[in-house]
Amino acid sequence: MDDAGEDLPNLAAARGAALRALAEAIRTKSEIRAEMGPMSVIVRTQIARVLTVSASIEISMTS
């Protein structure tokens, strides 16, 4: 969770930042072999949520 946040100029910039943050979270969890499951990045103003970017990763191994 990032309570400090960052100021972005518009919704397109917020969308890009959220996608990059989600991709980084997926890479990090993959590197440490952590459980994946659903992950979300929520973009909000001081008042309300404006955008949510989510991914669900499932890894199935066959023997």
Side-chain angles (χ1 to χ4, degrees), residues 1-49:
M1 181 170 206
D2 178 4
D3 291 328
E6 63 181 293
D7 289 326
L8 298 165
N10 54 43
L11 196 54
R15 179 183 181 275
L19 285 167
R20 287 188 297 279
L22 187 57
E24 180 60 31
I26 292 168
R27 273 193 298 279
T28 299
K29 283 190 166 207
S30 176
E31 289 170 1
I32 62 172
R33 301 190 192 303
E35 285 292 318
M36 292 295 222
M39 291 181 264
S40 296
V41 174
I42 298 169
V43 177
R44 55 179 295 121
T45 65
Q46 291 180 350
I47 300 167
R49 180 185 298 195

